[in-house]
Amino acid sequence: MSALRLGADLSHVICAPTAGQAIKSYSPDLIVHPILREDAPQDKVKNELDSILARLHVLVLGPGLGREPYMQNYARTALTLARSRAMFVVLDADALWMVGQALELVRGYQRAVMTPNLVEFKRLCEQVGVGNGEGEGEQRAAEVSKRLGGVVVLEKGAKDVIASDTTGEEAGVGVSGIRVGEEEEEGEKVREVVEVDAEGGLKRCGGQGDVLSGCVGAMLAWGKCYEEGAYGNHSLPVSRLPILAAVGGSMVTRTSSRMAFQVEGRGLVTQDMIPHLAKAFAEMFGEDIQNGNKGRL
């Protein structure tokens, strides 16, 4: 719903049959695929997943995933398929736990954005060998990105820290399937850290990270359209799209939280943020962009 409210055309939800009816009843705008059966043949589900991913621009993994072995296995399969298709990917919640158990799933894939909270970031730091995640957050986020080969790390907190570091040995533009144009050299090494301090609400409710995942996912979907030539003049290197989507998603989510808190106060719940996403986008990027001014687009 966050992706749709930000401006995505379609939002597909891939889930277990036990969750399918509940999700379908939430909104007729969601396209639900309840194909993740625990007793289903793995090859059959893999083929179904691949067929669905062929129609999408971006994959968001993690919110509502759970840690049951069969669901984690399906998530690993989906991530592998997404990589084979050079899709942009957002990894949150239990997908971060999954990646922590097998870092090779994401290492070197610069089309991925990871969105850990404080606890998840601390665990991720320990898993990649960067200590316990305490102190010097900006540098630690960049170091985690470096050790994962340039994966974008969006560390959520009082101020969101977004880092991308492709200066390490694990980085490789070719691994990510990113086409390199004349404006960017093959194997270019870049370290970039952005701090987003846009004012948020005074209550950070559980589930706000799911809204962030949807917002980053929608922006990455637009990035995929840009890469495929749907709009733009290709003056922007495709390799920068993940970190820009992470920054934009962070700005919009924090702003919608502030707007919703002004209305609901301490009674704020995550669902209250969703109606404010379009207004938050307009405040951050301009009414003409929100309204589809083709001159600006």
Side-chain angles (χ1 to χ4, degrees):
M1 291 306 299
S2 299
L4 288 172
R5 287 295 188 182
L6 193 63
D9 293 332
L10 297 172
S11 183
H12 296 249
V13 181
I14 306 170
C15 63
T18 52
Q21 288 300 320
I23 296 172
K24 285 182 179 181
S25 67
Y26 184 73
S27 170
D29 295 293
L30 298 174
I31 303 170
V32 183
H33 305 274
I35 65 172
L36 306 181
R37 298 179 59 92
E38 185 173 5
D39 58 351
Q42 294 292 313
D43 288 344
K44 180 177 184 294
V45 176
K46 181 178 180 180
N47 291 336
E48 290 177 326
L49 279 171
D50 197 36
S51 176
I52 295 169
L53 295 183
R55 292 177 271 159
L56 308 182
H57 289 103
V58 64
L59 176 67
V60 178
L61 270 172
L65 175 65
R67 297 184 183 180
E68 293 90 344
Y70 81 98
M71 288 295 288
Q72 288 280 312
N73 184 54
Y74 285 143
R76 285 190 291 270
T77 299
L79 179 54
T80 301
L81 290 171
R83 288 191 63 158
S84 71
R85 292 184 170 278
M87 293 178 67
F88 291 112
V89 178
V90 182
L91 299 165
D92 185 36
D94 286 322
L96 295 174
W97 186 87
M98 173 191 73
V99 168
Q101 312 308 304
L103 295 175
E104 65 274 9
L105 287 170
V106 74
R107 183 176 277 126
Y109 195 59
Q110 295 166 28
R111 288 174 177 264
V113 177
M114 306 177 72
T115 60
N117 59 25
L118 181 64
V119 174
E120 292 163 341
F121 181 70
K122 180 178 179 180
R123 183 168 60 235
L124 187 60
C125 284
E126 294 170 346
Q127 289 163 339
V128 301
V130 188
N132 59 10
E134 297 176 355
E136 300 182 359
E138 293 185 16
Q139 298 306 315
R140 288 191 183 275
E143 186 63 24
V144 170
S145 174
K146 178 180 179 180
R147 297 197 183 197
L148 289 176
V151 174
V152 173
V153 176
L154 196 173
E155 179 192 355
K156 297 176 287 193
K159 297 179 180 179
D160 292 346
V161 176
I162 299 105
S164 173
D165 190 325
T166 60
T167 63
E169 296 179 358
E170 302 289 350
V173 175
V175 175
S176 299
I178 293 178
R179 295 195 301 272
V180 180
E182 296 179 357
E183 73 282 350
E184 49 183 331
E185 298 179 2
E186 178 74 46
E188 181 183 7
K189 305 297 184 180
V190 178
R191 182 185 182 95
E192 186 172 4
V193 180
V194 179
E195 185 179 89
V196 178
D197 60 357
E199 183 182 356
L202 296 181
K203 176 185 178 183
R204 188 180 182 107
C205 43
Q208 183 168 323
D210 296 349
V211 174
L212 174 65
S213 295
C215 290
V216 175
M219 291 194 173
L220 284 173
W222 298 335
K224 186 66 174 178
C225 293
Y226 171 85
E227 180 185 19
E228 294 176 345
Y231 60 87
N233 57 11
H234 286 278
S235 60
L236 180 69
V238 174
S239 58
R240 295 203 68 231
L241 295 178
I243 192 168
L244 293 176
V247 171
S250 171
M251 293 167 63
V252 170
T253 302
R254 295 174 68 95
T255 302
S256 66
S257 174
R258 187 200 79 220
M259 292 177 170
F261 185 83
Q262 290 172 345
V263 176
E264 304 294 341
R266 295 181 183 275
L268 172 70
V269 295
T270 302
Q271 190 172 344
D272 298 325
M273 295 172 55
I274 295 176
H276 295 275
L277 288 174
K279 290 176 285 188
F281 183 94
E283 181 174 310
M284 290 292 101
F285 301 106
E287 291 283 352
D288 52 345
I289 293 293
Q290 171 64 23
N291 295 330
N293 183 306
K294 293 184 178 180
R296 286 290 302 275
L297 289 175

